[in-house]
Short mmCIF file of all heavy atoms in Angstrom, two decimals:
data_model
loop_
_atom_site.label_atom_id
_atom_site.label_comp_id
_atom_site.label_asym_id
_atom_site.label_seq_id
_atom_site.Cartn_x
_atom_site.Cartn_y
_atom_site.Cartn_z
N TYR O 130 86.41 107.30 90.51
CA TYR O 130 87.63 107.57 89.79
C TYR O 130 88.82 107.84 90.76
O TYR O 130 89.91 107.34 90.61
CB TYR O 130 87.45 108.74 88.79
CG TYR O 130 88.69 108.95 87.91
CD1 TYR O 130 88.87 108.26 86.76
CD2 TYR O 130 89.58 109.93 88.30
CE1 TYR O 130 90.00 108.47 85.97
CE2 TYR O 130 90.75 110.17 87.48
CZ TYR O 130 90.92 109.38 86.37
OH TYR O 130 92.04 109.63 85.54
N VAL O 131 88.58 108.81 91.67
CA VAL O 131 89.69 109.21 92.55
C VAL O 131 89.99 108.17 93.59
O VAL O 131 91.10 108.19 94.23
CB VAL O 131 89.46 110.58 93.21
CG1 VAL O 131 89.48 111.69 92.13
CG2 VAL O 131 88.20 110.64 94.01
N ALA O 132 89.02 107.26 93.88
CA ALA O 132 89.30 106.22 94.84
C ALA O 132 90.11 105.10 94.19
O ALA O 132 90.69 104.29 94.91
CB ALA O 132 87.93 105.64 95.42
N ASN O 133 90.10 105.04 92.92
CA ASN O 133 90.83 103.99 92.22
C ASN O 133 92.34 104.34 92.11
O ASN O 133 92.83 104.89 91.09
CB ASN O 133 90.22 103.87 90.80
CG ASN O 133 90.83 102.76 90.00
OD1 ASN O 133 91.79 102.05 90.42
ND2 ASN O 133 90.36 102.51 88.83
N VAL O 134 93.02 104.09 93.18
CA VAL O 134 94.41 104.55 93.29
C VAL O 134 95.40 103.87 92.32
O VAL O 134 96.46 104.40 92.08
CB VAL O 134 94.95 104.44 94.74
CG1 VAL O 134 94.14 105.33 95.66
CG2 VAL O 134 94.95 103.03 95.25
N SER O 135 94.95 102.75 91.73
CA SER O 135 95.95 102.15 90.81
C SER O 135 96.05 102.98 89.55
O SER O 135 97.08 103.10 88.92
CB SER O 135 95.58 100.67 90.47
OG SER O 135 94.28 100.60 90.07
N THR O 136 94.96 103.67 89.18
CA THR O 136 95.02 104.55 88.02
C THR O 136 95.55 105.91 88.45
O THR O 136 96.52 106.41 87.79
CB THR O 136 93.58 104.79 87.47
OG1 THR O 136 93.00 103.50 87.24
CG2 THR O 136 93.65 105.64 86.16
N THR O 137 95.00 106.53 89.46
CA THR O 137 95.45 107.87 89.79
C THR O 137 96.93 107.88 90.28
O THR O 137 97.64 108.85 90.08
CB THR O 137 94.54 108.46 90.93
OG1 THR O 137 94.47 107.57 91.99
CG2 THR O 137 93.11 108.78 90.39
N GLY O 138 97.31 106.72 90.88
CA GLY O 138 98.69 106.62 91.33
C GLY O 138 99.68 106.69 90.15
O GLY O 138 100.67 107.35 90.18
N VAL O 139 99.29 106.03 89.05
CA VAL O 139 100.15 106.02 87.87
C VAL O 139 100.26 107.46 87.30
O VAL O 139 101.37 107.94 86.99
CB VAL O 139 99.61 105.08 86.78
CG1 VAL O 139 100.40 105.26 85.49
CG2 VAL O 139 99.68 103.65 87.26
N TYR O 140 99.16 108.13 87.26
CA TYR O 140 99.22 109.53 86.72
C TYR O 140 100.00 110.46 87.68
O TYR O 140 100.69 111.32 87.22
CB TYR O 140 97.82 110.09 86.52
CG TYR O 140 97.17 109.50 85.30
CD1 TYR O 140 95.93 108.79 85.36
CD2 TYR O 140 97.72 109.62 84.04
CE1 TYR O 140 95.34 108.19 84.32
CE2 TYR O 140 97.13 108.99 82.95
CZ TYR O 140 95.92 108.31 83.07
OH TYR O 140 95.38 107.78 81.93
N ALA O 141 99.89 110.17 88.96
CA ALA O 141 100.67 111.00 89.93
C ALA O 141 102.16 110.73 89.69
O ALA O 141 102.93 111.69 89.75
CB ALA O 141 100.24 110.70 91.34
N VAL O 142 102.51 109.51 89.45
CA VAL O 142 103.92 109.20 89.19
C VAL O 142 104.41 109.91 87.88
O VAL O 142 105.43 110.52 87.87
CB VAL O 142 104.17 107.65 89.01
CG1 VAL O 142 105.61 107.37 88.52
CG2 VAL O 142 103.90 106.93 90.27
N ILE O 143 103.60 109.81 86.87
CA ILE O 143 103.93 110.50 85.60
C ILE O 143 104.11 111.96 85.78
O ILE O 143 105.05 112.59 85.35
CB ILE O 143 102.86 110.16 84.53
CG1 ILE O 143 102.79 108.67 84.23
CG2 ILE O 143 103.18 110.94 83.25
CD1 ILE O 143 101.71 108.29 83.25
N PHE O 144 103.16 112.55 86.54
CA PHE O 144 103.24 114.02 86.70
C PHE O 144 104.47 114.44 87.43
O PHE O 144 105.15 115.36 87.11
CB PHE O 144 101.94 114.59 87.37
CG PHE O 144 101.63 115.95 86.88
CD1 PHE O 144 100.74 116.12 85.84
CD2 PHE O 144 102.24 117.01 87.46
CE1 PHE O 144 100.51 117.37 85.35
CE2 PHE O 144 101.99 118.34 87.01
CZ PHE O 144 101.09 118.48 85.94
N MET O 145 104.79 113.68 88.52
CA MET O 145 106.01 114.01 89.25
C MET O 145 107.20 113.78 88.42
O MET O 145 108.19 114.58 88.51
CB MET O 145 106.04 113.13 90.55
CG MET O 145 107.09 113.55 91.51
SD MET O 145 106.89 115.22 92.14
CE MET O 145 106.03 114.94 93.69
N ALA O 146 107.18 112.85 87.54
CA ALA O 146 108.35 112.54 86.68
C ALA O 146 108.57 113.71 85.74
O ALA O 146 109.65 114.21 85.48
CB ALA O 146 108.19 111.23 85.92
N PHE O 147 107.47 114.22 85.16
CA PHE O 147 107.53 115.39 84.26
C PHE O 147 108.18 116.56 85.00
O PHE O 147 109.07 117.22 84.52
CB PHE O 147 106.15 115.82 83.78
CG PHE O 147 105.66 115.09 82.54
CD1 PHE O 147 104.28 114.74 82.52
CD2 PHE O 147 106.48 114.81 81.52
CE1 PHE O 147 103.79 114.11 81.42
CE2 PHE O 147 105.96 114.12 80.37
CZ PHE O 147 104.62 113.75 80.34
N THR O 148 107.64 116.79 86.20
CA THR O 148 108.10 117.92 86.99
C THR O 148 109.57 117.80 87.31
O THR O 148 110.36 118.79 87.10
CB THR O 148 107.37 117.95 88.37
OG1 THR O 148 105.92 117.90 88.09
CG2 THR O 148 107.69 119.14 89.18
N ALA O 149 110.00 116.59 87.69
CA ALA O 149 111.40 116.41 88.00
C ALA O 149 112.25 116.51 86.80
O ALA O 149 113.40 117.10 86.85
CB ALA O 149 111.56 114.98 88.60
N TYR O 150 111.79 116.09 85.64
CA TYR O 150 112.55 116.19 84.44
C TYR O 150 112.87 117.72 84.19
O TYR O 150 114.01 118.07 83.89
CB TYR O 150 111.78 115.65 83.23
CG TYR O 150 112.42 115.93 81.92
CD1 TYR O 150 113.63 115.25 81.54
CD2 TYR O 150 111.89 116.80 81.02
CE1 TYR O 150 114.27 115.49 80.34
CE2 TYR O 150 112.53 117.15 79.85
CZ TYR O 150 113.70 116.47 79.49
OH TYR O 150 114.32 116.75 78.33
N VAL O 151 111.86 118.55 84.25
CA VAL O 151 112.02 120.03 83.99
C VAL O 151 113.02 120.57 84.94
O VAL O 151 113.98 121.30 84.63
CB VAL O 151 110.68 120.76 84.01
CG1 VAL O 151 110.92 122.24 83.80
CG2 VAL O 151 109.73 120.20 82.93
N VAL O 152 112.80 120.30 86.22
CA VAL O 152 113.70 120.84 87.33
C VAL O 152 115.12 120.40 87.14
O VAL O 152 116.02 121.18 87.28
CB VAL O 152 113.09 120.55 88.71
CG1 VAL O 152 114.09 120.91 89.77
CG2 VAL O 152 111.81 121.26 88.90
N SER O 153 115.28 119.12 86.78
CA SER O 153 116.62 118.58 86.74
C SER O 153 117.42 119.25 85.61
O SER O 153 118.66 119.26 85.62
CB SER O 153 116.60 117.03 86.52
OG SER O 153 116.12 116.77 85.24
N ARG O 154 116.77 119.77 84.59
CA ARG O 154 117.49 120.42 83.51
C ARG O 154 118.02 121.78 83.85
O ARG O 154 118.77 122.44 83.10
CB ARG O 154 116.59 120.48 82.27
CG ARG O 154 116.04 119.16 81.87
CD ARG O 154 115.86 119.04 80.45
NE ARG O 154 116.80 119.91 79.73
CZ ARG O 154 117.05 119.86 78.42
NH1 ARG O 154 116.51 118.95 77.70
NH2 ARG O 154 117.90 120.70 77.90
N GLY O 155 117.59 122.29 85.05
CA GLY O 155 118.20 123.56 85.53
C GLY O 155 117.30 124.77 85.12
O GLY O 155 116.25 124.67 84.61
N VAL O 156 117.86 125.93 85.52
CA VAL O 156 117.06 127.16 85.45
C VAL O 156 116.69 127.57 84.04
O VAL O 156 115.52 127.71 83.72
CB VAL O 156 117.76 128.28 86.21
CG1 VAL O 156 116.88 129.55 86.19
CG2 VAL O 156 118.05 127.89 87.66
N SER O 157 117.74 127.78 83.20
CA SER O 157 117.38 128.30 81.85
C SER O 157 116.90 127.18 80.92
O SER O 157 115.94 127.36 80.16
CB SER O 157 118.44 129.15 81.30
OG SER O 157 119.63 128.36 81.17
N ALA O 158 117.61 126.05 80.93
CA ALA O 158 117.25 124.98 79.98
C ALA O 158 115.95 124.17 80.46
O ALA O 158 115.37 123.52 79.63
CB ALA O 158 118.40 124.03 79.80
N GLY O 159 115.62 124.31 81.75
CA GLY O 159 114.44 123.53 82.19
C GLY O 159 113.29 124.50 82.51
O GLY O 159 112.31 124.59 81.75
N ILE O 160 113.43 125.19 83.67
CA ILE O 160 112.33 125.99 84.15
C ILE O 160 111.89 127.08 83.18
O ILE O 160 110.73 127.26 82.79
CB ILE O 160 112.72 126.64 85.54
CG1 ILE O 160 113.06 125.53 86.55
CG2 ILE O 160 111.60 127.56 85.99
CD1 ILE O 160 113.56 126.06 87.89
#
Side-chain angles (χ1 to χ4, degrees):
Y130 183 84
V131 293
N133 184 355
V134 297
S135 53
T136 309
T137 53
V139 171
Y140 288 120
V142 171
I143 297 176
F144 212 93
M145 189 61 95
F147 275 141
T148 306
Y150 171 73
V151 176
V152 170
S153 71
R154 304 211 30 165
V156 182
S157 60
I160 299 174

